[in-house]
Amino acid sequence: MSATYVAIIMDGNGRWAHQHGVPIAEGHKAGADTVKARLRDAVDLGVRELTLYSFSTENWNRPQDEVDALMALFSARIIDETPELHEEGVKMRFVGRREGVLPELLEQMQWAEEKTAANTRITLFVAFNYGGRSEILDAAAQYTGGGEEEFRKLLYAPEMHDPDLLIRTSGEQRISNYLLWQAAYSELHFTDVLWPDFSREDFEEALASYEARVRRFGGR
């Protein structure tokens, strides 16, 4: 049993920067480099959907200079890397609230989604300005009944599969308002490794831990 659908809480950029004596912005840049490397590994390892928690609704509460640096980094990576990801067959989808996001950044996100829409090698869901409770509230505001499947259609990305495995780096052992609906039955894997240091071997270890488990979904 292999994990086809994987979600990751990429935690530890700030601590990595502190450990290396560099500005936090450098930690976020190192983390972004790790995203690119692990995405390629995901393809090699048979993952079909990779969902990454890049910026939560709570992250707006961070110092303004850090938020500004994150927005600039996010914008630059979309512009610089989308053509390359497109060539590699990556389909990009951004999930989260659009309110409060700079219009030019929203345009870049839409451009990336449209450019890669027909790709089928792997789908990269980027949770940006995302909160699990917000997603459920936004869906509930539109819900008129019909059961779970009708409710799912109102989520930010109804085509997203429920993650088989949810990984969190940096030693914290909580899901921090991430994919609350979708991760109801996900297996969890926690590692002390900080996200910028999360290697292919660490990724393989997480997938191997999943494969060793027996999933019953409430049965016997």
Side-chain angles (χ1 to χ4, degrees):
M1 178 183 66
S2 59
T4 305
Y5 314 116
V6 177
I8 304 178
I9 299 174
M10 306 176 294
D11 197 12
N13 291 346
R15 271 169 281 179
W16 184 92
H18 179 72
Q19 287 182 6
H20 289 76
V22 298
I24 289 179
E26 293 301 315
H28 291 310
K29 288 180 181 178
D33 291 339
T34 300
V35 167
K36 191 174 181 180
R38 298 296 80 76
L39 174 60
R40 286 171 169 159
D41 290 339
V43 173
D44 292 343
L45 296 170
V47 175
R48 298 290 298 161
E49 290 180 7
L50 183 64
T51 307
L52 303 178
Y53 206 1
S54 67
F55 192 85
S56 75
T57 50
E58 293 80 14
N59 287 156
W60 294 108
N61 297 322
R62 293 184 176 183
Q64 191 60 48
D65 59 344
E66 182 179 354
V67 171
D68 291 344
L70 278 167
M71 294 302 109
L73 175 64
F74 196 65
S75 174
R77 292 291 174 136
I78 291 176
I79 294 170
D80 294 343
E81 295 182 3
T82 295
E84 185 178 349
L85 294 177
H86 175 54
E87 289 296 320
E88 295 179 8
V90 179
K91 179 178 181 178
M92 297 180 65
R93 283 280 280 116
F94 297 92
V95 293
R97 284 182 169 173
R98 297 298 190 251
E99 297 85 353
V101 180
L102 293 173
E104 54 265 37
L105 184 52
L106 288 176
E107 291 178 5
Q108 293 163 3
M109 292 161 63
Q110 182 176 354
W111 165 73
E113 287 185 331
E114 291 174 352
K115 186 173 184 64
T116 63
N119 295 336
T120 59
R121 194 175 187 189
I122 188 172
T123 300
L124 174 64
F125 291 100
V126 180
F128 179 79
N129 196 25
Y130 176 87
R133 288 181 176 179
S134 297
E135 180 176 28
I136 291 171
L137 282 173
D138 291 347
Q142 306 174 65
Y143 182 62
T144 58
E148 285 192 12
E149 288 308 310
E150 291 303 311
F151 191 86
R152 172 182 284 276
K153 293 176 183 178
L154 303 173
L155 298 175
Y156 295 146
E159 75 277 19
M160 181 195 297
H161 291 81
D162 292 344
D164 298 316
L165 175 66
L166 192 157
I167 302 167
R168 181 169 187 152
T169 59
S170 88
E172 304 293 344
Q173 298 190 12
R174 57 181 180 272
I175 61 173
S176 296
N177 198 23
Y178 187 42
L179 302 177
L180 297 182
W181 177 275
Q182 299 89 339
Y185 287 100
S186 300
E187 297 292 325
L188 307 179
H189 178 85
F190 301 108
T191 174
D192 291 333
V193 177
L194 302 177
W195 174 249
D197 292 328
F198 189 77
S199 65
R200 180 184 177 111
E201 289 72 26
D202 295 318
F203 199 1
E204 291 174 338
E205 180 182 336
L207 295 174
S209 76
Y210 172 84
E211 293 175 3
R213 304 180 193 187
V214 177
R215 308 186 77 197
R216 297 188 176 86
F217 300 97
R220 296 191 185 280

